[in-house]
Amino acid sequence: MNVGRVAAPSATSIFGRDEELVRISGFLNAIPAGPQALLVEGEPGMGKTTVWRWSLEEAARRFRVLSCRSAEAEAKFSYAALTDLLEGVVEESLSALAAPQRHALEVALLREAEPGETLDSRAVAAAVLASLRTLAKSTPVLLGIDDAHWLDQPSARVLQFAIRRLQVEPIGVLLVQRTREDRSVSLGLDRALPADRFSRLELAPLSLGALHHMVRSRLGAELPRPVLVQLHQISGGNPFYALEIARDLLAQDTDHPVGTIPVPKSLRELVEGRLERLPRKTRDALLTVAALSSPTVTIITSAAESPQTVEAELKRAERAGVIEIEADRVRFSHPLLASVHYATASAAHRRALHRRLAEVVSDVEERARHLALATTDPDEEIAQTIDEAAQRARARGAPETAAVLLEEARRLTPAGEPDALWRRMTDGAMCHYLAGNTERARELWEEIERSAPAGPVRARALWYLSEFRHSTVEVEQQITAMDRALGEAGSDVALKSAIHHTLGLSFAWGGANARRAKAHVQAALELAEAQTDPTVVGLACTAVLWVGYMSGEGLTPELIDRCLAVERATQHLPLENSPRMAWAWMISQLGETPDLARRAFGALRQQAHDHGLDISLPLLYFFVSDLECRAGDLDLADRCVTDGLEAAARTEQLFRIPLLLLARALVMARRGRLDTACSLATESLTLNKKSGTRLAEGRIWALLGFIELSRGDPESANGWLQRVTELEERGGFDEPTVLRSRHDAIEALIALGRLEEAMNLLETLEERGRRLNRAWALAMAARCRALLAAAHGDLAGAQIALAQALVAHDRLVEPFELGRTLLIQGNIQRRSRQKRASRDSLERALGLFQNLGALGWAAQVEAETQRLGLHPAGPDELSATEERVARLVAEGRTNREIASAMFVSVKAVEANLTRIYTKLALRSRTELALRLQESPSSPVRDSRSGGTPAHS
């Protein structure tokens, strides 16, 4: 088993319990208003104590915390729990008690010799109640009791007495106990307080994602996704069981066939002891339950040697709490019971059982699984049956199941059937890849490449190794491998098309030359159309889209329609091979229709879910993060990075990490956290050299250049950005939105006084923007034109260029870049002595940056505003933002439409409207529209002057 090691965290974290912790926080917040009680319950090992400890730590910041952890061995000791609870507050408690109560409590706590007469337990209870009330007078109190089912009876009676008598005191009771069949609650807590002051919280099993985080954090390891899935199934999401199994698995450090994760001896002995108390016939019936994927009483009875006794044996097991029966369905009360019971049976016993089950089950995949487990010697007929079931599993989006079945089909394939063997190995490798087990996929493809003779079989293995690599090799090596595969493909037209597809994308993504890639993608499409496999046509169309976009040929509606028409044929492949994925990325980069891109990415996310394509999630999350960062939702963009990093770890897609770090660095840079951004980008660059593409490297260089430009260091910025420009020209990336850096490169050169070089870059950007009708390129070029004009002293020309930039910005949904343009406009207007106009531009820029959380850029705007020397808008004068809101209201726009147009939240629009109504003494949108109609050239007037323009 290949396990990735990660650094263990310095402190324990809680995973998968967000909702539970919110509930507990609410419980704690309510305590100061009066007594509250919360019961936390769950099965053993479910993490109750971990949650309890977190709760005490949270409470300790505000409350006096009294806690105890009960234990079975101490349940017979009188007042053991009470002693622990009052430890540390005894002196304070005793000093406030009346003499009889103080004496009783001291005796109970063994601080005083026992009296000759019997201790009055009521006096002890009264003393505890009085002590709690005394403590709560100064600070709210929390009683935290773990494993309450082991409370000693004297302590339990005293606490129950005290809790029932709480009325208004700020005292909380946090009780933790194992889930009970009768749902009863220790201390009668559910009856001790009014119903609205008691709640219960049951800890459910951890999700697969939470389990992944926990193993990574506690054990410092990344388990392959298939292993993680099995771990989740066997442990039932129980954190304790999962950690024990994972710890044992890591200690062995050996490979285990899929579906055969061993259970540690400690857990195995615990489970075996429970099962061995049942009669042999009962255990036989339970073995059948363990062997079935979806056990029912009907199937168990049909497969039994003594069917007439099955129902009675199952009922016996149900009474023992080993299984649960609901109608005809049967399941073990915990998956661990099934795993251990199946593992303890002899191999011969299991094979005989699977033979019987293969005869009685009706599901195709289930029957194939039983046939495989019942057969030891090669058998082509059985292998073919299992193969067909695997294809069915893959078609329904279960690549993990298909991979297991194809491994069995391969094992049972006779030596005289090499073609069938290689095909099953190839298909099995692809299913392993889709399931996230990329290492096993590579092992199978490499085995074919080594064992198959020169020809199409070996060429196909070479193609798979290049197209579905789990780390990126040097582009030259990849092209060499594909040239070799092309020479061995023979007359296989579909394979030749696929190889040309990969060659074209290797040239493009590798930065070798997007123009050279055109010949290969065209060859891929021509060959694809000469054969009948629609998947090959889909692959070729994907390559045509990518290369056409990057090389600046544009995206015609005809080409897009043609490519999207065949996307269905690629739905069983990773999303990287989907024409829709390529199209969605491209429209997201253009920045003009983000909602269209969002819908496309959402559909692709659903496709990944439906077809088991988790392998593609890291790249998909990168795409979405990049989109949302530019569209203005930096929080969502950052969450997408987190989701992408988690998916990359689960699916062994570690070569995607540089991209995701790049996305996070961009978020940090836009927020103005430049040091953090630089650190992330540098780490991304280092990792990308080992496993990334040249195109990704160009994007990282572009970001580093932007960071240095933001720091006010144009010399360092130019060093990075010049590399990007060279890559752009050498690689033939004529589409300006591929690397998105030329505007920053121009700005750096202008700052350095290298105006002629800046002009050369600007003319190219303008030409490409006009030719391709790219709003982003046109907006950036016009902004750079303004900077260049200003550098020559032509402030009037700069303002004309900025007006053109804002026209292009109207087609874009990129509020950050709009803010940059408005900041430059405000600067040039100030230098042109247009102070009022400058203030309006800067106020608008400030609103954009503040709404984005781009505080560093907001500070730049505030600094520029200070240079104006103007007083802030008066109490009855509308700001530039308020004036724009007013105009949009008069146009009949809704608040949501105004928010979208101004790149602010709906709440921000509502707040501006409230201020507008107050300043202008208006009451409605209708009155505002009428005011604007009265004086359209100077629409907003000072309410006090009866008509004086507010900005006159």
Side-chain angles (χ1 to χ4, degrees):
M1 179 182 64
N2 294 284
V3 177
R5 295 286 177 176
V6 297
S10 57
T12 299
S13 303
I14 298 178
F15 301 105
R17 300 297 187 201
D18 292 350
E19 293 184 10
E20 290 88 341
L21 299 187
V22 168
R23 285 275 308 277
I24 293 171
S25 295
F27 156 71
L28 294 175
N29 291 337
I31 291 173
Q36 297 285 332
L38 174 66
L39 171 70
V40 177
E41 55 189 336
E43 298 298 331
M46 202 58 76
K48 301 185 297 296
T49 297
T50 300
V51 170
W52 178 77
R53 285 173 174 160
W54 178 90
S55 305
L56 299 193
E57 290 175 4
E58 286 293 303
R61 300 173 183 176
R62 299 176 281 164
F63 304 158
R64 179 76 64 89
V65 176
L66 311 181
S67 66
C68 71
R69 292 193 62 194
S70 305
E72 184 177 9
E74 300 173 0
K76 297 178 181 179
F77 298 154
S78 298
Y79 299 115
L82 192 62
T83 301
D84 291 341
L85 275 173
L86 297 180
E87 183 180 6
V89 297
V90 175
E91 299 298 338
E92 184 179 350
S93 302
L94 291 173
S95 62
L97 296 177
Q101 293 178 354
R102 182 169 62 248
H103 172 68
L105 187 57
E106 285 187 322
V107 171
L109 300 180
L110 300 180
R111 293 171 56 89
E112 189 175 298
E114 292 188 23
E117 69 277 7
T118 303
L119 179 64
D120 184 356
S121 60
R122 186 175 181 280
V124 177
V128 170
L129 176 60
S131 297
L132 292 176
R133 284 173 171 166
T134 298
L135 294 172
K137 286 180 181 178
S138 57
T139 308
V141 174
L142 175 70
L143 299 178
I145 304 172
D146 190 18
D147 286 333
H149 45 278
W150 296 126
L151 272 173
D152 63 273
Q153 284 304 307
S155 293
R157 284 195 299 270
V158 165
L159 290 171
Q160 191 167 2
F161 175 93
I163 294 168
R164 287 179 65 86
R165 284 159 177 76
L166 296 177
Q167 296 177 356
V168 297
E169 300 87 348
I171 297 175
V173 183
L174 176 65
L175 208 65
V176 175
Q177 71 173 36
R178 290 181 183 174
T179 301
R180 295 172 172 174
E181 290 186 9
D182 60 2
R183 300 282 289 167
S184 62
V185 180
S186 298
L187 302 182
L189 199 62
D190 51 339
R191 303 184 303 277
L193 295 174
D196 62 340
R197 293 185 174 272
F198 168 77
S199 57
R200 61 197 306 162
L201 174 62
E202 183 159 9
L203 299 187
L206 292 182
S207 66
L208 180 64
L211 194 64
H212 161 252
H213 284 305
M214 184 187 70
V215 171
R216 186 180 188 275
S217 174
R218 304 286 197 274
L219 305 182
E222 292 284 4
L223 296 177
R225 177 175 169 77
V227 175
L228 194 66
V229 170
Q230 294 171 61
L231 178 63
H232 186 258
Q233 291 171 345
I234 294 172
S235 68
N238 184 297
F240 175 75
Y241 294 163
L243 282 174
E244 288 296 303
I245 296 169
R247 190 175 285 112
D248 187 68
L249 193 64
L250 293 169
Q252 294 181 37
D253 199 25
T254 56
D255 289 332
H256 295 279
V258 177
T260 60
I261 288 183
V263 176
K265 184 180 179 182
S266 56
L267 290 180
R268 192 171 63 248
E269 290 175 348
L270 179 68
V271 173
E272 286 175 354
R274 183 176 178 184
L275 293 171
E276 283 174 359
R277 291 193 289 268
L278 296 171
R280 184 185 61 79
K281 288 185 177 180
T282 306
R283 296 200 303 271
D284 287 345
L286 290 176
L287 183 61
T288 307
V289 178
L292 285 164
S293 298
S294 301
T296 64
V297 175
T298 302
I299 295 176
I300 297 165
T301 303
S302 300
E305 294 178 340
S306 303
Q308 66 277 9
T309 65
V310 167
E311 188 171 349
E313 301 303 336
L314 292 177
K315 289 292 183 183
R316 187 195 306 274
E318 185 180 32
R319 289 193 298 272
V322 174
I323 60 171
E324 298 168 354
I325 303 175
E326 185 177 345
D328 196 40
R329 310 290 296 182
V330 183
R331 63 174 179 270
F332 276 91
S333 56
H334 194 282
L336 194 61
L337 293 166
S339 179
V340 170
H341 190 45
Y342 183 83
T344 55
S346 69
H349 193 176
R350 291 199 299 261
R351 284 196 298 272
L353 173 60
H354 284 298
R355 276 194 292 272
R356 294 199 305 273
L357 289 173
E359 295 174 358
V360 298
V361 297
S362 57
D363 183 78
V364 173
E365 293 172 32
E366 180 83 344
R367 180 171 180 270
R369 187 174 72 88
H370 291 303
L371 282 173
L373 295 172
T375 309
T376 56
D377 298 326
D379 186 314
E380 176 57 24
E381 184 177 349
I382 293 178
Q384 181 60 32
T385 300
I386 297 170
D387 190 336
E388 292 170 358
Q391 302 307 328
R392 182 176 181 271
R394 182 179 177 184
R396 67 177 178 83
E400 298 96 340
T401 301
V404 173
L405 290 173
L406 284 164
E407 290 277 13
E408 294 294 341
R410 175 203 179 200
R411 176 177 65 84
L412 296 174
T413 302
E417 300 287 346
D419 290 341
L421 177 66
W422 288 325
R423 183 183 59 76
R424 286 163 188 160
M425 289 173 69
T426 297
D427 290 351
M430 192 66 213
C431 290
H432 278 301
Y433 180 87
L434 294 174
N437 194 357
T438 54
E439 195 66 39
R440 178 57 180 158
R442 193 165 193 82
E443 288 172 0
L444 289 170
W445 285 323
E446 286 176 346
E447 185 178 340
I448 298 170
E449 194 259 331
R450 288 192 306 268
S451 60
V457 171
R458 190 165 72 180
R460 188 170 294 277
L462 282 168
W463 176 73
Y464 273 104
L465 284 167
S466 291
E467 178 64 24
F468 302 109
R469 56 200 177 276
H470 72 293
S471 62
T472 304
V473 298
E474 289 292 333
V475 64
E476 294 81 8
Q477 296 176 4
Q478 192 166 334
I479 290 171
T480 298
M482 287 299 89
D483 284 340
R484 177 184 162 201
L486 199 59
E488 295 189 15
S491 59
D492 192 330
V493 176
L495 178 56
K496 284 184 175 180
S497 173
I499 294 170
H500 278 294
H501 153 97
T502 302
L503 273 168
L505 292 182
S506 296
F507 275 111
W509 285 103
N513 199 313
R515 299 184 188 98
R516 286 184 63 187
K518 294 179 189 177
H520 287 290
V521 299
Q522 191 58 42
L525 188 58
E526 291 172 1
L527 289 166
E529 292 176 335
Q531 53 84 64
T532 58
D533 187 346
T535 299
V536 178
V537 178
L539 284 172
C541 284
T542 302
V544 168
L545 268 181
W546 279 118
V547 173
Y549 163 70
M550 287 189 281
S551 61
E553 289 188 346
L555 303 172
T556 65
E558 294 77 17
L559 174 61
I560 293 170
D561 290 344
R562 181 185 185 188
C563 292
L564 296 184
V566 296
E567 68 148 332
R568 187 174 182 82
T570 64
Q571 286 187 347
H572 62 288
L573 294 176
L575 297 179
E576 296 89 309
N577 304 106
S578 164
R580 184 167 294 275
M581 179 80 140
W583 171 71
W585 166 250
M586 292 163 201
I587 59 173
S588 77
Q589 293 303 290
L590 302 187
E592 299 176 40
T593 52
D595 285 339
L596 181 61
R598 286 190 187 100
R599 288 195 295 273
F601 285 136
L604 289 162
R605 178 67 183 87
Q606 187 61 47
Q607 181 180 326
H609 178 269
D610 293 344
H611 294 272
L613 302 176
D614 281 7
I615 196 77
S616 297
L617 291 180
L619 185 61
L620 180 60
Y621 281 125
F622 166 71
F623 285 174
V624 177
S625 176
D626 186 79
L627 166 67
E628 296 300 345
C629 184
R630 286 182 289 99
D633 194 336
L634 300 185
D635 290 338
L636 177 55
D638 198 48
R639 290 198 299 274
C640 286
V641 173
T642 298
D643 291 341
L645 288 169
E646 293 169 1
R650 287 198 313 271
T651 59
E652 301 181 47
Q653 294 281 289
L654 301 183
F655 74 104
R656 298 294 188 197
I657 289 178
L659 281 177
L660 292 160
L661 292 179
L662 165 63
R664 175 154 285 160
L666 182 58
V667 171
M668 293 299 108
R670 293 203 165 185
R671 283 179 167 157
R673 296 171 57 182
L674 299 181
D675 289 343
T676 301
C678 187
S679 177
L680 286 167
T682 302
E683 183 181 359
S684 173
L685 187 62
T686 301
L687 294 173
N688 192 78
K689 290 182 183 298
K690 300 176 183 177
S691 61
T693 65
R694 183 57 58 84
L695 202 60
E697 188 171 38
R699 280 236 167 177
I700 301 168
W701 291 340
L703 177 56
L704 286 166
F706 169 73
I707 291 170
E708 296 303 331
L709 195 61
S710 303
R711 285 173 165 167
D713 186 350
E715 188 71 51
S716 297
N718 183 61
W720 291 112
L721 294 166
Q722 189 173 358
R723 298 188 193 186
V724 188
T725 302
E726 291 170 357
L727 174 63
E728 212 171 34
E729 296 303 325
R730 183 177 67 252
F733 299 125
D734 292 345
E735 167 58 57
T737 61
V738 169
L739 290 168
R740 291 178 152 261
S741 67
R742 190 156 291 215
H743 61 308
D744 288 334
I746 296 168
E747 188 170 335
L749 288 170
I750 293 172
L752 292 171
R754 294 159 62 174
L755 305 186
E756 187 175 347
E757 293 175 62
M759 175 59 79
N760 292 335
L761 292 184
L762 174 58
E763 288 176 347
T764 302
L765 181 60
E766 284 178 330
E767 184 278 324
R768 291 173 181 172
R770 286 194 297 268
R771 176 170 58 82
L772 296 168
N773 190 25
R774 296 287 183 258
W776 180 86
L778 294 172
M780 298 304 101
R783 186 171 82 198
C784 291
R785 175 71 67 179
L787 287 171
L788 197 58
H792 285 293
D794 182 7
L795 297 182
Q799 293 207 51
I800 293 172
L802 284 166
Q804 294 171 343
L806 291 174
V807 170
H809 270 295
D810 284 341
R811 291 170 51 192
L812 289 171
V813 185
E814 295 201 11
F816 182 81
E817 292 297 349
L818 175 58
R820 289 179 70 184
T821 299
L822 289 167
L823 173 56
I824 291 170
Q825 183 181 53
N827 172 274
I828 290 176
Q829 287 169 332
R830 175 182 63 80
R831 291 161 62 187
S832 302
R833 303 186 184 280
Q834 299 171 358
K835 292 189 175 183
R836 296 290 182 181
S838 175
R839 186 188 69 180
D840 292 347
S841 298
L842 293 173
E843 280 188 1
R844 190 177 169 196
L846 182 63
L848 287 169
F849 288 137
Q850 288 178 336
N851 193 60
L852 288 169
L855 302 184
W857 285 85
Q860 289 188 42
V861 176
E862 289 170 341
E864 181 67 30
T865 303
Q866 289 295 319
R867 298 187 185 99
L868 285 171
L870 289 176
H871 64 80
D876 297 298
E877 185 179 351
L878 298 192
S879 68
T881 300
E882 291 164 352
E883 190 167 325
R884 188 155 187 251
V885 170
R887 288 183 179 279
L888 292 171
V889 167
E891 292 176 8
R893 307 247 195 133
T894 65
N895 287 0
R896 187 169 297 280
E897 289 170 340
I898 296 169
S900 177
M902 295 183 64
F903 307 113
V904 298
S905 66
V906 174
K907 286 186 177 180
V909 173
E910 293 169 350
N912 276 284
L913 267 176
T914 300
R915 290 194 294 271
I916 292 168
Y917 292 157
T918 300
K919 290 180 178 182
L920 302 183
L922 302 174
R923 292 177 296 177
S924 69
R925 301 168 87 93
T926 303
E927 289 184 11
L928 178 58
L930 289 172
R931 174 71 63 85
L932 294 174
Q933 290 172 6
E934 291 171 2
S935 182
S937 60
S938 183
V940 181
R941 299 174 180 274
D942 189 311
S943 61
R944 295 176 303 172
S945 63
T948 303
H951 293 296
S952 61

